[in-house]
Amino acid sequence: MTAAVPTSTLEQWREHIETCLTQWLTPSPGPASTLEEAMRYAALGGGKRIRPILSMAAAQASGGGPDEGLVPGCAVELIHAYSLVHDDLPAMDDDALRRGKPTVHIAFDEATAVLVGDALQTLAFEQLAANDRVPTATALAMVQHLARASGRSGMAGGQAIDLSLVGETPDLAMLETMHRHKTGALIETSILLGVLASGRDVDGDLGNRLQQYGRALGLAFQVRDDLLDIEGDTDHIGKPQGSDEARNKPTYPAILGIDGAREHLQALEREAHQSLDGLGPEADTLRDLIARIVYRRH
Amino acid sequence: MTAAVPTSTLEQWREHIETCLTQWLTPSPGPASTLEEAMRYAALGGGKRIRPILSMAAAQASGGGPDEGLVPGCAVELIHAYSLVHDDLPAMDDDALRRGKPTVHIAFDEATAVLVGDALQTLAFEQLAANDRVPTATALAMVQHLARASGRSGMAGGQAIDLSLVGETPDLAMLETMHRHKTGALIETSILLGVLASGRDVDGDLGNRLQQYGRALGLAFQVRDDLLDIEGDTDHIGKPQGSDEARNKPTYPAILGIDGAREHLQALEREAHQSLDGLGPEADTLRDLIARIVYRRH
C-alpha cells in the first residue's frame, strides 16, 4: 500500500528547495548581470523539483533528517536545469516553450542560453563542494558521483544516444539504455547523494535497495513522460502535446503500444515498491513518491 | 634576467599532459561513441597546454615536483577546451577554424558540439575529485577553486561580459575586467592549483606572489593575443588574421594604439617578473614562461 505523506510536507520541502536555489543564485555585484538574471530565469520558479525531493526522501529513508539531502539535491537540480536549457537549444530539440514559459534562448538569446547552461553546471559542483554539513571525504564522493552521472557515461552520454536514435526504431533494450543514461543516472544519483548525506554507505544493503528503487523510478518517470506526450494536453505538460511523435522520437508507446507501455509502467511501479520492502516508515515518503510519479498529470 | 629552461623540459611536460588527457579520454565501451570521439577531437592533439604547464611550474616553484601539478592542470585544460568548443558555436563567435582544424560543430555537428563542451566540463570536475595524490580536503578545495574560476563569477561571466561589449567601446578598466574573468581567472587558478598540489597554502606569501604573477601573466597573454590578431598571419595563429577587428571586438590596440599595447605588455612582463623576486631557482620555469608568452608567435 502507498503511504499517505501529506502534500503539505512535500510543499514544505519544495519551499526549502526554492530557498536554497534562490540563495545560490543571489545576484552578485559583478558586471555579468544578464547572465545571472538568465540563470535565475532558468532555475527558479518552476519545475517539480523531483530530484531534490528524492534526495531529501532518501536521506530520511537512511535515518537522517530530510534537510540533510537538501544541498546535494539542489546540486542535482542545477545539473537538471542546465541540461534542459541546452536541450531546448535550436541545435538540439529546438523548443520554444518550457513549463509554459519561453525557453531561455527565446527569452534571452542563444549565446546566453549556452552560457547559462555552462554556468549552472559549474554552480552545481561549486555548491556541492562547499557543503560543510558533511565530512570532506563525503563531499568529495558526492562530487564524483554527480560528475559520473552527468557526463559522457551518464546524462550527456544519454543525450548523445538520444540524438543518434532520432529517425531510428530502436528496440526496448536500446530505448532503456538511452533513458537510463539520459534521465535515470541523475535520478539514481539524487537518491545516492541523499544516502551519503545522512552518513550512510551507498554500497550496503540500504544503498542497493535504494539504487534499485531509483532505477525503477527513473524508468517509470520516462514511460509516464512518453504516455503523457500522447494522452496529456499542452496546458498541463507545458509543451505541445504529441511533440515527441511529430519529431519521430522513439518512445515506449511506439515500441510497446499504449497498453503495453501502461503495463510496463505498472511493472516498474511494483519493482520500485518491492525494493523498499523491509524498510520501515522512514521510507514512506519514497513509497509515496512512486504513485505521484506514476500518476502525475504533467 | 629570464632563466633558460630547456625547451626539451617543456616538451617532456607536454608529453605528460597529453598522456594524462589521453588516458582520461580513453574510449569507453558504451553506446555514446560519437560523443567520445568528438571529445577527443576537441581536447587532444592540439593546444599549447599553457594552463597545465603553469600548474606544473607552480607546483615546482612551491617546492614540489612538477608532476604534482599534472592532474589539476589537466582538469583546468579540460575547462579551457570546453570553453573553446562553446565559444566557437554559431551562436557565439561562429568560428569554423581552431588551431588550423575545423571546429567541433563543423567536423561533427552543432548538437554534438554543445554536448562535447558540457561533458568536457563534467570530466574536469570528475578527474579533479578523483585525484588521490592529495588529501581529500585539498582535492575538495581544488574543486571549489576551479568552479569559482569557471562559472558566473569567472570564465562564463567573462564570456557574458564579452558578449555585452561587442560593438561597444569600453575603456581600459572594463576591458581588463572582461579579460580577468574570461581568461585570467582560469590562468590564475592553474597556478593556485599547482601551489595546492604541492601541499602549500595559497593564502601565504608564496600564494600571494604567484597569484600576482598569474594576474599579470593572464593579462599579458591577452594583450599578446590582441597584438597577434593584427600582426600575425592566419597560418601561425590558426584563425583568420584580423578577425577580432572584423567583428568589432574591443581590443587593447583599439584602446591603447599598437605602440601603447606593446608598452602595456612590457609593463605586465615586468610585473610578472617582479612578483617572483625573492623566489629561488625553483621558480625559473615560471620566469621562463613569461618570455614564452610575451613573445609567442601564435
Side-chain angles (χ1 to χ4, degrees):
Chain A
M1 268 307 298
T2 298
V5 171
T7 300
S8 61
T9 302
L10 294 182
E11 281 311 313
Q12 203 180 32
W13 288 15
R14 273 196 198 93
E15 275 175 34
H16 290 203
I17 293 161
E18 290 305 318
T19 303
C20 177
L21 290 172
T22 303
Q23 195 190 324
W24 289 358
L25 288 159
T26 300
S28 64
S33 54
T34 305
L35 173 62
E36 298 198 338
E37 186 193 337
M39 288 170 76
R40 286 193 293 280
Y41 181 86
L44 300 179
K48 299 176 282 289
R49 309 304 188 199
I50 287 172
R51 290 155 192 82
I53 285 175
L54 282 170
S55 294
M56 294 171 78
Q60 195 180 42
S62 310
D67 272 354
E68 293 181 75
L70 186 61
V71 166
C74 287
V76 179
E77 186 70 6
L78 288 184
I79 295 286
H80 174 59
Y82 114 64
S83 78
L84 297 182
V85 176
H86 282 184
D87 251 8
D88 289 338
L89 284 170
M92 306 276 283
D93 284 353
D94 195 14
D95 272 315
L97 274 182
R98 164 75 62 187
R99 297 165 188 158
K101 288 195 309 183
T103 45
V104 177
H105 65 276
I106 301 286
F108 293 83
D109 56 49
E110 219 180 306
T112 302
V114 172
L115 291 177
V116 162
D118 293 345
L120 287 174
Q121 175 173 190
T122 318
L123 188 60
F125 290 111
E126 182 180 344
Q127 294 295 343
L128 199 55
N131 180 15
D132 55 11
R133 296 183 62 166
V134 295
T136 56
T138 306
L140 202 60
M142 287 184 179
V143 170
Q144 288 183 269
H145 277 286
L146 185 59
R148 277 199 293 266
S150 311
R152 59 182 171 164
S153 312
M155 185 184 74
Q159 284 169 309
I161 301 170
D162 193 12
L163 289 175
S164 73
L165 291 182
V166 171
E168 300 283 314
T169 41
D171 58 12
L172 185 63
M174 180 49 93
L175 189 69
E176 290 217 344
T177 298
M178 187 268 279
H179 287 309
R180 285 209 53 195
H181 285 77
K182 191 178 170 182
T183 55
L186 218 53
I187 285 177
E188 280 180 48
T189 296
S190 306
I191 291 163
L192 290 185
L193 296 193
V195 176
L196 286 171
S198 76
R200 296 288 291 269
D201 190 352
V202 293
D203 297 323
D205 177 62
L206 178 79
N208 289 339
R209 284 172 177 280
L210 295 195
Q211 198 156 12
Q212 193 195 342
Y213 167 89
R215 202 158 40 227
L217 195 77
L219 288 174
F221 183 86
Q222 197 54 55
V223 181
R224 182 64 182 156
D225 214 49
D226 286 356
L227 283 166
L228 276 172
D229 188 66
I230 294 172
E231 299 167 351
D233 55 77
T234 303
D235 233 33
H236 270 104
I237 58 180
K239 62 177 180 178
Q241 182 267 329
S243 60
D244 294 343
E245 207 177 358
R247 249 178 224 148
N248 204 13
K249 283 212 164 193
T251 65
Y252 283 95
I255 292 174
L256 300 173
I258 292 186
D259 288 342
R262 284 187 187 138
E263 281 166 30
H264 191 54
L265 183 59
Q266 285 165 359
L268 290 166
E269 182 185 5
R270 279 193 301 275
E271 191 189 331
H273 272 293
Q274 282 162 2
S275 68
L276 303 177
D277 281 353
L279 300 185
E282 69 276 11
D284 278 356
T285 313
L286 285 179
R287 293 189 180 95
D288 189 69
L289 289 169
I290 301 169
R292 289 181 190 265
I293 281 171
V294 170
Y295 303 111
R296 76 195 158 91
R297 290 184 57 209
H298 60 93
Chain B
M1 268 310 297
T2 297
V5 171
T7 300
S8 61
T9 302
L10 295 182
E11 280 312 313
Q12 203 180 32
W13 288 15
R14 271 197 199 92
E15 275 175 34
H16 291 203
I17 294 161
E18 290 305 317
T19 303
C20 177
L21 291 171
T22 303
Q23 196 190 324
W24 288 359
L25 289 159
T26 300
S28 65
S33 55
T34 304
L35 173 63
E36 299 198 338
E37 186 193 337
M39 288 170 75
R40 285 193 294 280
Y41 181 86
L44 300 179
K48 296 175 285 287
R49 309 305 188 199
I50 288 173
R51 290 154 193 81
I53 285 175
L54 283 171
S55 295
M56 294 171 78
Q60 195 181 42
S62 310
D67 272 355
E68 294 181 74
L70 185 62
V71 166
C74 287
V76 178
E77 186 70 5
L78 288 184
I79 295 285
H80 174 59
Y82 114 66
S83 78
L84 297 182
V85 176
H86 281 185
D87 251 9
D88 288 338
L89 284 170
M92 306 276 283
D93 283 354
D94 195 14
D95 273 316
L97 274 182
R98 162 78 60 187
R99 297 164 187 159
K101 288 195 310 181
T103 46
V104 178
H105 66 274
I106 301 287
F108 294 83
D109 58 49
E110 218 180 307
T112 302
V114 172
L115 291 176
V116 162
D118 292 345
L120 287 174
Q121 176 174 188
T122 318
L123 187 60
F125 290 110
E126 182 180 343
Q127 294 296 343
L128 198 55
N131 180 17
D132 55 13
R133 296 183 63 166
V134 294
T136 56
T138 306
L140 202 61
M142 287 184 179
V143 171
Q144 288 182 271
H145 277 286
L146 185 59
R148 276 199 295 264
S150 311
R152 58 181 171 165
S153 312
M155 184 184 73
Q159 284 168 309
I161 301 169
D162 194 12
L163 289 175
S164 72
L165 291 183
V166 171
E168 301 282 314
T169 43
D171 59 12
L172 184 63
M174 180 50 93
L175 189 69
E176 290 218 343
T177 299
M178 186 268 279
H179 286 311
R180 285 209 52 194
H181 285 77
K182 191 178 169 181
T183 55
L186 217 53
I187 286 178
E188 280 179 47
T189 296
S190 305
I191 291 163
L192 290 184
L193 295 193
V195 176
L196 286 170
S198 76
R200 296 287 290 270
D201 190 351
V202 292
D203 297 324
D205 176 62
L206 178 79
N208 289 339
R209 283 172 177 280
L210 294 195
Q211 198 155 12
Q212 193 195 339
Y213 167 90
R215 201 159 40 227
L217 196 76
L219 288 174
F221 183 85
Q222 197 53 56
V223 180
R224 183 62 182 157
D225 215 49
D226 286 355
L227 283 166
L228 276 171
D229 189 66
I230 294 173
E231 300 166 349
D233 56 78
T234 304
D235 232 33
H236 270 104
I237 59 179
K239 62 178 180 177
Q241 182 267 329
S243 61
D244 295 343
E245 205 178 358
R247 250 178 223 146
N248 203 13
K249 283 212 166 193
T251 65
Y252 283 95
I255 292 175
L256 299 173
I258 293 187
D259 288 342
R262 285 187 187 138
E263 281 166 29
H264 190 55
L265 183 59
Q266 285 166 359
L268 290 167
E269 183 185 5
R270 279 193 300 275
E271 190 190 331
H273 272 293
Q274 282 162 2
S275 68
L276 302 177
D277 282 352
L279 299 184
E282 68 276 12
D284 278 356
T285 313
L286 285 180
R287 292 189 181 95
D288 189 68
L289 288 168
I290 301 170
R292 290 182 190 265
I293 280 170
V294 169
Y295 303 111
R296 74 194 159 94
R297 290 184 56 208
H298 58 93

